Amino acid sequence: MLSWKRIEKVLSRATEAPGPKVTAYLRIDPEATYGNVQALVTRIRSTFGDLDVPNDITDRIVEELTTGPAEARTLVIIEGPNVSERLQLHVDIPVVDQTTGHFEASYGEEAYTAPLLMALDRHERLGVIFVDREHIRVFETYLGAIEEVYDSKSEPEPDQSHVASSSKQVRPAYQAVRDDAHHDRHEEHKRTVRDRFYKHQMLPLRRLVQEHQLDRMILMGPERSTAAFERQMPPRLSNRVAAHTSSLPDTEASPGSVLEKIKPIIEELEQDRQRRVVEQIKEGASMSIHGTAQALEELQEGRIDTLVVPWRPGHHQTVYRATDSGWVGVSKGNTKKHVLNGGALEKVELMDVLPSLAEAYGCLLYTSDAADDMQC
């Protein structure tokens, strides 16, 4: 599964590599026919042609896709004389401009990482806990992929049914046999063993949550088991439980089967997360801020902690940046006020600088299909 360390390495190598490079975000159909592949090639050549990408780079990428197509839904390509990086994302992200049919792409000295960073912010890292009476499995799912990270089984209890049977045989014939009482004690014993097993999973689970940075969790399993498991969870874990779902027929089901089961839940959680962010902005401020110019000013003044950005492929906006202070603005005249001695103004693409700006000012950046303009 794609890890954040892997992403960081790719971004670092792409940033440090000298010379011009093409960055492209391609929507891939893993089950594409020959005709689909040729349509993809045509779109690549059209997009790269408009960007004046050298033919040798275009030919290398086309040959790669026609001889060994990617297995992902979205393929991120960073290619140049001194860099060749690929990232396969198992999710669909809006990377096609519907007005031109072009892919989201850029060619220049700097790698175009904004769509990738936006996609990473758009999807959260989730934990899935598959709960059974005697078996606990934990999965990490992120960007449409899944990996099993923990598996624990309860130690089998010694079978004492023969003891119960022999004890019945020595009772006088006239004494009532309390089968119900015996059954109740047996069930109580099983619940005690189960709860003890669940409780012992809490320390490893806390470590997993911290190590894998699991923002929220989904509990999967029989309702009785998940409820008992959740009762054993300390608040720092139970507060992360975002959803519950029923079990699979086989507790040894493959990670792929688990992912298919929870995909609708993941989609619902992500949509709900976007809606809540937008609603919190509207409800939390006496006057919501709309528009790029004002949002950028509020961001760089340190007055906001959340910024919602519309997700519109192919939408590019040029802004101005002071080369010395780093201030970014929509208006040339207003941005010039933030130029220090000896500085100048340069034109930059807003989406090229927005992720780093948000990080520098400690602001959370969210993308939303519903937003018409920047909101904070």
Side-chain angles (χ1 to χ4, degrees):
M1 189 174 71
L2 186 63
S3 67
W4 178 243
K5 288 183 179 179
R6 159 75 174 145
I7 296 170
E8 281 186 322
K9 287 181 180 179
V10 168
L11 293 178
S12 176
R13 288 194 292 260
T15 302
E16 295 172 0
K21 53 190 74 72
V22 62
T23 310
Y25 297 82
L26 309 181
R27 180 172 295 171
I28 304 293
D29 181 358
E31 301 177 358
T33 62
Y34 175 81
N36 297 133
V37 174
Q38 293 308 306
L40 174 64
V41 168
T42 300
R43 186 170 289 178
I44 290 172
R45 291 194 180 280
S46 174
T47 304
F48 286 7
D50 288 353
L51 294 172
D52 295 324
V53 177
N55 290 334
D56 60 324
I57 293 179
T58 302
D59 292 341
R60 283 203 304 272
I61 293 174
V62 166
E63 181 180 2
E64 173 186 329
L65 292 174
T66 52
T67 56
E71 298 179 356
R73 304 295 303 178
T74 303
L75 177 64
V76 184
I77 294 176
I78 305 174
E79 185 73 25
N82 301 296
V83 63
S84 183
E85 298 289 349
R86 306 289 185 269
L87 286 173
Q88 298 194 31
L89 309 181
H90 295 273
V91 291
D92 288 322
I93 61 175
V95 294
V96 179
D97 184 351
Q98 299 299 328
T99 59
T100 65
H102 287 177
F103 285 104
E104 195 75 44
S106 175
Y107 181 67
E109 294 289 330
E110 301 292 332
Y112 180 41
T113 60
L116 174 60
L117 296 175
M118 291 290 191
L120 298 179
D121 285 338
R122 191 181 179 88
H123 297 273
E124 61 181 333
R125 201 174 294 271
L126 293 170
V128 183
I129 308 176
F130 194 169
V131 180
D132 189 59
R133 178 183 284 272
E134 300 175 346
H135 193 185
I136 299 295
R137 301 171 69 192
V138 181
F139 303 84
E140 175 189 353
T141 177
Y142 185 51
L143 293 173
I146 190 168
E147 179 183 4
E148 186 167 2
V149 295
Y150 183 74
D151 187 317
S152 178
K153 292 183 179 179
S154 175
E155 292 292 333
E157 286 287 305
D159 184 9
Q160 297 186 357
S161 59
H162 65 284
V163 177
S165 299
S166 61
S167 65
K168 293 179 189 178
Q169 294 173 1
V170 299
R171 291 180 178 141
Y174 56 82
Q175 182 176 342
V177 179
R178 300 187 59 196
D179 287 336
D180 290 344
H182 171 73
H183 175 75
D184 291 344
R185 286 195 300 273
H186 182 59
E187 287 300 311
E188 179 63 28
H189 174 70
K190 288 198 297 184
R191 285 193 293 269
T192 301
V193 171
R194 177 202 63 190
D195 291 347
R196 184 168 62 242
F197 170 60
Y198 288 169
K199 190 172 185 177
H200 288 167
Q201 307 308 307
M202 295 305 131
L203 180 57
L205 186 56
R206 285 202 298 268
R207 291 171 177 167
L208 284 170
V209 167
Q210 184 175 3
E211 179 182 350
H212 294 269
Q213 298 179 338
L214 304 178
D215 302 316
R216 293 193 286 176
M217 294 183 288
I218 300 170
L219 286 184
M220 183 172 72
E223 184 177 352
R224 182 177 297 179
S225 296
T226 55
F229 186 84
E230 195 166 5
R231 285 196 296 270
Q232 299 299 324
M233 300 176 81
R236 70 176 67 178
L237 293 179
S238 61
N239 290 341
R240 295 174 184 262
V241 176
H244 301 75
T245 187
S246 57
S247 186
L248 287 170
D250 182 9
T251 58
E252 299 289 348
S254 68
S257 298
V258 174
L259 182 60
E260 285 300 317
K261 172 78 173 177
I262 63 171
K263 269 184 179 179
I265 299 175
I266 294 175
E267 292 175 3
E268 185 177 342
L269 288 176
E270 290 178 347
Q271 291 171 3
D272 180 65
R273 179 169 170 250
Q274 291 183 43
R275 284 194 299 267
R276 283 190 290 106
V277 170
V278 175
E279 289 171 1
Q280 286 172 4
I281 289 177
K282 291 179 179 179
E283 296 173 0
S286 57
M287 181 181 67
S288 295
I289 297 168
H290 292 262
T292 304
Q294 191 176 2
L296 284 176
E297 184 173 341
E298 295 293 317
L299 169 63
Q300 293 169 102
E301 291 289 349
R303 291 197 287 262
I304 59 174
D305 55 15
T306 305
L307 180 62
V308 176
V309 181
W311 185 279
R312 296 199 296 267
H315 177 74
H316 297 277
Q317 181 176 1
T318 300
V319 292
Y320 296 92
R321 179 171 62 184
T323 57
D324 44 15
S325 68
W327 184 273
V328 177
V330 174
S331 163
K332 184 177 182 180
N334 185 59
T335 310
K336 196 171 183 178
K337 299 176 183 178
H338 298 273
V339 175
L340 304 178
N341 294 332
L345 291 182
E346 61 177 350
K347 289 184 178 181
V348 293
E349 285 287 337
L350 175 61
M351 297 310 295
D352 285 345
V353 298
L354 190 57
S356 57
L357 268 182
E359 182 179 4
Y361 288 94
C363 179
L364 295 176
L365 195 62
Y366 287 96
T367 58
S368 172
D369 300 324
D372 297 324
D373 207 338
M374 280 193 186
Q375 300 177 26
C376 56

